[in-house]
Amino acid sequence: MTPQKTIYITVYLLLLIPTLSIALVTRIFSLKVMLLDGFSSNIIFLITCILCAVLYLIFKTSIDSYILPILCKCSKIQLAVAESVTKEVTKPVTKQEANLPSYQVHYDAVAEKKRIEAEETLQRVLDYTMQTMVIYMSEAELDRLCSYITEYSLGDTPCEVSPVSVDSALKSIDLMHFGWNIGKAFGKRRIHTATFIKNVFAHALRDIEVSTIERKMSHTESECRIKLDGEIG
């Protein structure tokens, strides 16, 4: 039996049972109290049924307009809830979800956050590099420098480096400051940053040892074009 048929049967039973009950009480009243004969009591029973039927017809429009829609809506809600619960209960659990402990979920979330932060830091460093070095090297050299910096952000030093050329207007202290600025942004150790700029600016820093670069890269006593900036990252 469909839910719709069940609803209609329920409604009509709710109307039929009170009607018969009222008619039966009226018949008993006519027999016991009014002391009428059986024929008259049956007539009263029929008249009562007819009156109740007339009342039903009067209110039928209201019933169809309000009661049935409400019951149908409730039935649909119950079916939807039942289907939802069934789907939730029978939802297959993947092997990966079953074997994934809570700390792993937290670890993955932290790792994703760090990855996003690293990408944002790299973009800020590249923007700083292009703004700072664009007037001191060609476009091709600047592109290579940005490529090396991207590799450097992922490790201690790029795998292979072909030295880039810079304008002679930049002194060794300028390149050291530049290296310190990007190393600071990436959170690199000074020795790694010194090695990186020694390899990348090999021509300009050919007479300076890595240890000297490491020691002097944050010095400020001499005149320079590129200033120390620890706020890039």
Side-chain angles (χ1 to χ4, degrees):
M1 185 178 295
T2 63
Q4 192 72 18
K5 289 182 178 179
T6 302
I7 292 171
Y8 278 105
I9 290 174
T10 301
V11 172
Y12 290 127
L13 283 177
L14 290 175
L15 294 172
L16 180 61
I17 292 174
T19 298
L20 292 177
S21 298
I22 293 172
L24 183 60
V25 169
T26 305
R27 185 178 185 279
I28 294 173
F29 180 81
S30 64
L31 285 173
K32 301 295 184 180
V33 179
M34 299 178 66
L35 302 177
L36 298 178
D37 55 37
F39 178 77
S40 299
S41 298
N42 290 335
I43 294 297
I44 292 174
F45 176 84
L46 291 176
I47 292 174
T48 303
C49 290
I50 293 171
L51 289 175
C52 290
V54 171
L55 290 176
Y56 163 72
L57 292 176
I58 293 174
F59 291 102
K60 186 177 185 303
T61 302
S62 299
I63 292 173
D64 290 340
S65 301
Y66 297 103
I67 296 179
L68 287 179
I70 292 174
L71 291 176
C72 290
K73 184 177 181 180
C74 293
S75 177
K76 290 179 180 179
I77 292 174
Q78 290 175 352
L79 288 175
V81 171
E83 291 177 359
S84 177
V85 172
T86 302
K87 290 181 180 179
E88 188 67 26
V89 172
T90 58
K91 180 182 178 181
V93 179
T94 63
K95 184 177 180 181
Q96 182 178 3
E97 291 175 340
N99 297 329
L100 191 63
S102 58
Y103 72 84
Q104 183 65 40
V105 175
H106 175 71
Y107 175 82
D108 291 342
V110 171
E112 178 65 13
K113 181 180 179 180
K114 289 184 177 180
R115 183 190 67 80
I116 295 174
E117 291 176 349
E119 290 180 354
E120 293 175 347
T121 299
L122 174 60
Q123 188 57 54
R124 286 194 293 270
V125 170
L126 293 178
D127 291 342
Y128 163 77
T129 299
M130 289 185 285
Q131 293 170 5
T132 303
M133 305 298 285
V134 66
I135 61 175
Y136 300 114
M137 58 176 55
S138 66
E139 183 178 351
E141 296 290 273
L142 183 58
D143 288 341
R144 286 202 297 121
L145 176 59
C146 289
S147 176
Y148 295 149
I149 290 175
T150 300
E151 292 184 39
Y152 179 54
S153 70
L154 303 176
D156 294 334
T157 56
C159 297
E160 297 182 3
V161 173
S162 177
V164 298
S165 300
V166 295
D167 193 288
S168 58
L170 288 181
K171 301 177 182 179
S172 59
I173 190 63
D174 293 310
L175 299 178
M176 293 181 193
H177 285 174
F178 173 77
W180 186 90
N181 291 342
I182 64 173
K184 178 71 173 177
F186 290 137
K188 301 290 187 179
R189 296 175 57 188
R190 290 172 68 99
I191 184 62
H192 294 153
T193 302
T195 302
F196 172 70
I197 61 174
K198 172 67 175 178
N199 293 335
V200 173
F201 303 113
H203 298 310
L205 301 176
R206 58 185 176 276
D207 297 327
I208 306 177
E209 298 295 329
V210 172
S211 58
T212 303
I213 297 174
E214 180 187 5
R215 186 176 67 255
K216 292 186 175 182
M217 62 195 311
S218 59
H219 287 188
T220 59
E221 61 269 15
S222 58
E223 294 183 1
C224 58
R225 293 175 180 269
I226 299 178
K227 306 295 183 181
L228 294 177
D229 186 354
E231 302 298 326
I232 299 174

